[in-house]
Amino acid sequence: MGQCGITSSKTVLVFLNLIFWAAAGILCYVGAYVFITYDDYDHFFEDVYTLIPAVVIIAVGALLFIIGLIGCCATIRESRCGLATFVVILMLVFVTEVVVVVLGYVYRAKVEDEVNHSIQKVYDEYNGTNTDAPSRAIDYVQRQLHCCGITNYSDWKNTRWFKESRNNSVPLSCCKPNMNNCTGSLSRPGDLYPEGCEALVVKKLKEIMMYVIWAALTFAAIQMLGMLCACVVLCRRSRDPAYELLITGTGLD
């Protein structure tokens, strides 16, 4: 019965190491996604420390690839030193992922205050040209999130761009996509997105943080199982060096 448990632990451990390789790619993808999305919304969120969880999760993804390689070799060869190293590294990565989860929740809680502090400034800097970064950011967000203004399209009346243009209209990025003749005129509010961007930007940034948090939690749970299996194999190896080798399937005399 004990031998069956050891063999099962080794088999599961090899399978988990293959999952670690897949996890490495997924974590790097999640981290890269956060970076790319942050670049689109960085004018609305000035705290660059928000990217710390993304940086850490990319580093963890790269480390998981190495861990998978060490784990596979150590499990198949049943190296006591290799398995011990595997468990220690997994434990360190597990702690790191817990830190990522904590940081994710901390920065997720700060999103609303950061956006509220920055968004009015960004709208005040809008000048309607593609060469201006704040203008590109606002037009991108309004088209992507289907919104207009901060709380609604009437907020544009308080902007410098609206007062200087004097045409009683908002940017074309406020126009609904099915309105072919939309000019952004406030005299035709039905052509414009009714919802403001502030709440939607906050929602989007919080969703991004949740991707990081859930990715870290999921793979932390998998790593717990990996540590458990490695410890079972390692303890059996310490007590009885003559147990069955996974690579040959035969015991040592």
Side-chain angles (χ1 to χ4, degrees), residues 195-231:
E195 193 169 359
C197 295
E198 183 177 26
L200 294 179
V201 169
V202 170
K203 180 181 178 182
K204 181 68 174 180
L205 291 172
K206 285 186 174 182
E207 284 178 355
I208 294 169
M209 282 296 141
M210 283 307 300
Y211 293 153
V212 174
I213 291 169
W214 279 112
L217 282 175
T218 301
F219 294 116
I222 295 173
Q223 285 167 224
M224 282 288 290
L225 182 58
M227 284 188 286
L228 177 62
C229 292
C231 286

Side-chain angles (χ1 to χ4, degrees), residues 3 6 14 22 55 64 66 68 105 114-115 118 127 138 146 167 192-195 225:
Q3 186 65 44
I6 297 301
V14 170
V55 173
L64 273 179
I66 300 173
Y105 272 109
E114 285 284 337
V115 172
S118 304
N127 64 17
I138 289 175
H146 296 175
N167 58 6
L192 311 175
Y193 294 122
E195 193 169 359
L225 182 58

Side-chain angles (χ1 to χ4, degrees), residues 49 51 75 86 94 96 112 122 135 138-139 147 170 179 182 191 195 217 227 237 240 248-249:
Y49 294 107
L51 292 176
T75 304
F86 177 71
F94 176 80
T96 303
E112 190 165 357
V122 178
S135 299
I138 289 175
D139 286 334
C147 58
V170 297
M179 299 296 178
C182 177
D191 292 353
E195 193 169 359
L217 282 175
M227 284 188 286
R237 179 71 168 170
D240 183 10
T248 62

Side-chain angles (χ1 to χ4, degrees), residues 20 23-28 52-68 89-90 92-100 215-216 219-220 223:
F20 288 158
I26 294 173
L27 288 176
C28 288
I52 290 177
V55 173
V56 174
I57 210 170
I58 290 176
V60 168
L63 190 56
L64 273 179
F65 182 82
I66 300 173
I67 290 173
I89 296 177
L90 268 186
L92 292 174
V93 173
F94 176 80
V95 172
T96 303
E97 288 182 332
V98 171
V99 172
V100 168
F219 294 116
Q223 285 167 224

Side-chain angles (χ1 to χ4, degrees), residues 1-153:
M1 181 67 69
Q3 186 65 44
C4 180
I6 297 301
T7 304
S8 297
S9 295
K10 290 186 287 185
T11 304
V12 170
L13 191 54
V14 170
F15 179 70
L16 284 175
N17 285 307
L18 297 178
I19 293 180
F20 288 158
W21 282 336
I26 294 173
L27 288 176
C28 288
Y29 171 80
V30 171
Y33 173 76
V34 172
F35 267 101
I36 293 171
T37 307
Y38 179 85
D39 187 56
D40 295 329
Y41 293 86
D42 61 347
H43 287 85
F44 302 94
F45 200 86
E46 297 176 351
D47 189 352
V48 295
Y49 294 107
T50 308
L51 292 176
I52 290 177
V55 173
V56 174
I57 210 170
I58 290 176
V60 168
L63 190 56
L64 273 179
F65 182 82
I66 300 173
I67 290 173
L69 184 61
I70 294 174
C72 274
C73 293
T75 304
I76 293 175
R77 294 178 178 273
E78 299 184 2
S79 165
R80 181 177 178 182
C81 179
L83 285 172
T85 302
F86 177 71
V87 171
V88 170
I89 296 177
L90 268 186
M91 193 173 299
L92 292 174
V93 173
F94 176 80
V95 172
T96 303
E97 288 182 332
V98 171
V99 172
V100 168
V101 171
V102 173
L103 288 175
Y105 272 109
V106 169
Y107 288 118
R108 188 174 184 270
K110 293 175 61 178
V111 163
E112 190 165 357
D113 289 339
E114 285 284 337
V115 172
N116 291 344
H117 175 73
S118 304
I119 195 166
Q120 184 64 59
K121 177 183 175 183
V122 178
Y123 271 81
D124 287 340
E125 293 175 353
Y126 185 88
N127 64 17
T129 63
N130 288 329
T131 57
D132 181 61
S135 299
R136 289 199 308 270
I138 289 175
D139 286 334
Y140 174 83
V141 167
Q142 291 190 153
R143 288 192 179 99
Q144 290 296 312
L145 301 184
H146 296 175
C147 58
C148 183
I150 299 175
T151 56
N152 56 56
Y153 55 79

